[in-house]
């Protein structure tokens, strides 16, 4: 079968806030330029094709965030965004930062400046993305769903485009009657907005040296449930952030509760993946978090109605990759645009998409898409308020390497010193998996007993996966590729106790009896459970797990997350 070739002028890979905002802004820039061309004497641009490639069955289905959004960027993108129906759940009306202990809590008498959410809004990232998609389509942008970018198309160091995944292949690798080869999507410039640990971006890191000379990116995994409670129990606009319990002080992370209405709470937990503990369990941490008396009281009489998970790039300014190459720009989480100190990335994703669009527009006018021309994007970022914000938190995550209690004064110092840490600037970072220690070093008496779900307040992973709406065709090759499964059954089992069973928030990885070897275990991959969070690709201590895109349309179907 001949592979289809689709040619666009500009393509954004990923239908999240970065890609959609970039497409909208670029369309607006072109329209304004052409409208003014007659009066200014400028040469109008010809009709151009702008495309957004999205792997989900519909835009927003894979969209997941906390989410409290700083509206600064969307106000710049579309000043009349409220009048146009932007789906805002609530303005923030009340802010609390609480230190939790096992049975008690302490509310800080003040809100640290970085966590002051006055003027911010609570949103569902999925609903926001759906709305942005309608705005893009009104401007003539092509939105291609069920189109997972899988492989970069490179020629002499220039990105020509991306190849999408094949469809209609069974789990043994054979072509079914519905077989359809993926398309080669070519463009003058491709803007990668794939989210954290992007499939194409990861391949380009080594091929184009995008991370050379940069600090390693470090991640947390955020898990969240949407709870429906009796009317009046939730508080619309209330924002609660928590520190400490149930994490040990050596592990980065914390909890959050956001009020969407008088009957809906977001309740979630972010857990650093750069922990020493191989039994680190982001989903389990959320379940324990809910048992705290303060949190349990907020959820009393309610039930979870949706669930999701996602990796969060926490490394900051010094961990951002090179953002350009011939025919290539990076935006959003793919480029590391997240402020860990503020717990926010949506506004930075939107702004990065807009800055990428401005650079692409300049390149279209000059008909120059070389790295030398596109390098102007990094200058735009550095000179923007987004760059200033990221530089102001450039040492934030690194301050937590010594634990929570030493990090608090250090990050406080940073916030008042423009990001400078008392121990210096540009602190040495680390990849998430590098800090994991052998099981016996952390738990000499064996693994701690997991929390037993009660089905009322706490739930096991399979129950939450059901709430995520995750669906994959069972008869397709696993999109979770393990380079050597014998490592799992032997070395990893002995050294780390198979941490994939713990850090995966969707029960994808299980060690089950091996029928061919008495008393032995083997790895079983339940790929159909996968919620596309990328945690396994990040946290595996041997780095032998590679997350790839499944057949187009597969994955979670998030509702209002």
């Amino acid at each position: 079968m001949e592979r289809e070739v689709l040619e666009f002028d500009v393509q954004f890979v990923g239908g999240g806030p970065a890609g959609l905002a970039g497409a909208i802004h670029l369309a607006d820039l072109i329209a304004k330029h052409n409208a003014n061309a007659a009066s200014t004497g400028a040469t109008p641009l010809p009709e151009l094709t702008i495309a957004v490639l999205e792997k989900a069955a519909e835009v927003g289905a894979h969209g997941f965030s906390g989410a409290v959004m700083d509206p600064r960027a969307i106000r710049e993108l579309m000043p009349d965004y409220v009048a146009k129906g932007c789906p805002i759940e609530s303005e923030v009306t009340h802010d609390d930062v609480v230190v939790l202990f096992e049975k008690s809590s302490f509310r800080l008498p003040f809100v640290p400046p970085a966590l002051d959410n006055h003027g911010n809004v609570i949103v569902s990232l999925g609903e926001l993305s759906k709305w942005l998609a309608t705005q893009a389509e009104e401007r003539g942008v092509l939105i291609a769903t069920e189109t997972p970018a899988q492989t970069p198309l490179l020629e002499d160091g220039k990105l020509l485009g991306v190849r999408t995944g094949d469809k209609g292949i069974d789990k043994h690798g054979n072509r079914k009657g519905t077989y359809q080869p993926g398309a080669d999507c070519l463009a003058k410039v491709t803007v990668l907005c794939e989210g954290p640990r992007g499939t194409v971006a990861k391949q380009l890191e080594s091929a184009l040296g995008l991370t050379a000379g940069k600090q390693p990116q470090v991640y947390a995994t955020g898990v969240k449930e949407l709870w429906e409670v009796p009317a009046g129990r939730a508080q619309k606009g209330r924002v609660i952030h928590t520190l400490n319990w149930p994490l040990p002080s050596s592990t980065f992370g914390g909890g959050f509760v956001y009020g969407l209405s008088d009957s809906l709470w977001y309740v979630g937990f972010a857990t650093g993946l750069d922990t020493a503990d191989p039994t680190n369990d982001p989903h389990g941490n959320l379940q324990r978090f809910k048992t705290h008396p303060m949190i349990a009281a907020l959820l009393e009489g309610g039930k979870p109605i949706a669930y999701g998970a996602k990796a969060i790039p926490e490394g900051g300014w010094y961990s951002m990759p090179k953002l350009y190459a011939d025919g290539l720009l990076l935006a959003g989480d793919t480029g590391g645009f997240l402020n860990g100190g503020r717990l926010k990335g949506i506004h930075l994703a939107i702004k990065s998409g807009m800055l990428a669009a401005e650079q692409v527009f300049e390149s279209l006018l000059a008909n120059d898409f070389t790295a030398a021309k596109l390098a102007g994007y990094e200058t735009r970022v550095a000179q923007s308020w987004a760059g200033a914000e990221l530089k102001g938190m450039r040492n934030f995550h690194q301050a937590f390497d010594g634990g929570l209690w030493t990090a608090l004064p250090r990050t406080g110092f940073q916030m008042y010193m423009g990001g400078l840490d008392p121990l210096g600037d540009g602190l040495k970072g680390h990849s998430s998996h590098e800090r994991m220690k052998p099981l016996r070093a952390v738990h000499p008496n064996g693994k701690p007993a997991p929390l037993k779900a009660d089905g009322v307040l706490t739930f096991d992973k399979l129950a939450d996966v059901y709430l995520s709406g995750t669906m994959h065709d069972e008869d397709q090759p696993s999109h979770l590729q393990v380079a050597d499964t014998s490592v799992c059954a032997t070395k990893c089992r002995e050294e780390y106790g198979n941490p994939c069973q713990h850090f995966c928030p969707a029960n994808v990885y299980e060690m089950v009896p091996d029928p061919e070897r008495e008393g032995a275990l083997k790895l079983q991959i339940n790929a159909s459970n996968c919620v596309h969070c990328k945690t396994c690709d990040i946290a595996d201590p041997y780095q032998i797990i590679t997350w790839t895109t499944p057949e187009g349309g597969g994955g979670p179907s998030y509702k209002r997350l």
Side-chain angles (χ1 to χ4, degrees):
M1 255 184 166
E2 192 169 326
R3 194 176 295 278
E4 186 177 11
V5 177
L6 303 175
E7 295 190 45
F8 309 115
D9 291 291
V10 182
Q11 62 185 354
F12 294 83
V13 178
L20 292 167
I24 290 168
H25 193 48
L26 179 58
D28 285 347
L29 290 170
I30 294 169
K32 183 178 180 180
H33 171 81
N34 287 350
N36 293 336
S39 59
T40 62
T43 303
L45 288 166
E47 186 174 344
L48 299 171
T49 305
I50 304 169
V52 175
L53 311 184
E54 167 57 38
K55 65 185 173 67
E58 64 174 343
V59 172
H62 294 177
F64 180 88
S65 186
V68 173
M69 180 180 74
D70 181 339
R72 181 175 185 177
I74 199 165
R75 190 181 296 123
E76 290 182 3
L77 175 68
M78 215 177 302
D80 57 349
Y81 69 99
V82 175
K84 286 184 176 293
C86 180
I88 294 169
E89 300 288 352
S90 175
E91 294 183 359
V92 175
T93 60
H94 189 80
D95 236 343
D96 282 323
V97 178
V98 182
V99 181
L100 296 185
F101 302 96
E102 187 171 2
K103 298 296 182 182
S104 61
S105 61
F106 172 72
R107 183 174 66 85
L108 296 185
F110 64 94
V111 176
L115 294 178
D116 183 355
N117 286 294
H118 178 75
N120 295 333
V121 294
I122 299 170
V123 298
S124 155
L125 183 60
E127 295 302 311
L128 177 67
S129 297
K130 287 178 188 177
W131 177 78
L132 286 171
T134 65
Q135 300 301 308
E137 288 179 320
E138 287 177 6
R139 291 161 170 79
V141 173
L142 171 66
I143 310 276
T145 55
E146 298 190 29
T147 308
Q150 196 167 83
T151 311
L153 299 173
L154 283 168
E155 185 179 277
D156 298 327
K158 175 181 174 60
L159 185 68
L160 304 180
V162 295
R163 176 168 293 171
T164 65
D166 296 345
K167 297 181 180 180
I169 297 179
D170 69 21
K171 59 186 177 183
H172 303 295
N174 302 313
R175 296 179 181 181
K176 298 187 283 191
T178 56
Y179 173 73
Q180 182 180 341
D184 285 348
C185 299
L186 309 180
K188 296 172 183 175
V189 61
T190 297
V191 186
L192 293 181
C193 318
E194 305 173 280
R197 195 75 157 189
T199 297
V200 176
K202 182 182 175 184
Q203 296 171 69
L204 292 176
E205 285 180 3
S206 54
L208 299 179
L210 299 181
T211 54
K214 304 287 186 176
Q215 295 279 12
Q217 186 58 268
V218 62
Y219 297 85
T221 291
V223 293
K224 181 177 80 171
E225 294 169 350
L226 172 60
W227 272 70
E228 185 176 51
V229 296
R233 186 170 294 282
Q235 296 166 264
K236 184 176 182 179
R238 186 178 185 190
V239 167
I240 304 169
H241 288 114
T242 75
L243 307 172
N244 199 37
W245 192 89
L247 295 177
S249 63
S250 59
T251 298
F252 176 84
F256 60 89
V257 181
Y258 303 153
L260 286 72
S261 69
D262 72 345
S263 61
L264 291 173
W265 290 116
Y266 283 148
V267 54
F269 205 91
T271 301
L273 298 179
D274 55 339
T275 177
D277 189 353
T279 68
N280 185 38
D281 184 343
H283 177 271
N285 289 335
L286 171 61
Q287 303 313 308
R288 282 186 285 273
F289 173 63
K290 291 184 297 179
T291 67
H292 190 278
M294 186 188 95
I295 307 302
L298 299 176
L299 304 178
E300 187 178 350
K303 64 178 181 179
I305 57 176
Y307 167 79
K310 177 190 174 227
I312 308 166
E314 297 275 2
W317 181 254
Y318 292 122
S319 296
M320 294 174 71
K322 182 181 175 183
L323 299 175
Y324 68 93
D326 276 344
L328 168 70
L329 295 176
L330 306 180
D333 278 356
T334 305
F337 285 88
L338 182 124
N339 185 333
R342 292 188 70 197
L343 312 178
K344 288 176 179 57
I346 297 176
H347 68 301
L348 294 172
I350 291 172
K351 184 62 175 178
S352 69
M354 294 174 66
L355 293 170
E358 290 166 13
Q359 186 59 52
V360 170
F361 175 69
E362 188 177 295
S363 292
L364 288 167
L365 291 176
N367 195 30
D368 182 354
F369 307 95
T370 62
K373 183 66 175 177
L374 293 173
Y377 173 50
E378 282 202 344
T379 303
R380 290 177 188 272
V381 170
Q383 294 177 351
S384 70
W385 59 256
E389 181 178 323
L390 287 164
K391 282 182 272 189
M393 288 287 181
R394 60 190 179 274
N395 295 301
F396 177 80
H397 188 90
Q398 291 82 346
F400 283 83
D401 283 356
L404 174 64
W405 304 117
T406 59
L408 291 179
R410 286 176 65 182
T411 55
F413 180 91
Q414 291 175 14
M415 289 177 192
Y416 287 100
M417 295 297 292
L420 178 67
D421 189 85
L423 299 185
D425 196 33
L427 303 173
K428 180 174 172 56
H430 51 264
S431 298
S432 296
H433 69 279
E434 291 177 338
R435 300 188 74 199
M436 188 180 292
K437 292 183 178 179
L439 180 63
R440 289 187 182 89
V442 182
H443 298 292
N445 298 320
K447 294 183 181 182
L451 177 72
K452 188 173 182 180
D454 61 18
V456 177
L457 181 63
T458 58
F459 300 86
D460 62 28
K461 293 178 181 181
L462 288 180
D464 267 340
V465 169
Y466 175 78
L467 294 178
S468 73
T470 297
M471 294 287 289
H472 294 86
D473 182 354
E474 297 275 1
D475 191 19
Q476 65 172 301
S478 174
H479 64 282
L480 301 158
Q481 299 171 0
V482 181
D484 184 357
T485 56
S486 69
V487 171
C488 311
T490 55
K491 189 175 180 182
C492 187
R493 181 186 177 190
E494 173 63 25
E495 191 171 3
Y496 295 106
N498 299 120
C500 60
Q501 298 179 105
H502 305 286
F503 59 58
C504 173
N507 205 47
V508 168
Y509 300 94
E510 286 187 282
M511 297 303 294
V512 300
D514 186 346
E516 296 182 3
R517 295 189 303 153
E518 187 176 352
L521 299 177
K522 68 173 185 176
L523 178 66
Q524 176 175 290
I525 301 176
N526 307 310
S528 60
N529 289 357
C530 180
V531 294
H532 297 199
C533 69
K534 314 286 185 68
T535 300
C536 57
D537 194 303
I538 296 162
D540 166 40
Y542 299 100
Q543 292 294 281
I544 59 174
I545 300 177
T546 300
W547 192 98
T548 63
T549 52
E551 189 168 298
S557 180
Y558 291 145
K559 306 299 183 188
R560 213 171 172 180
L561 287 181

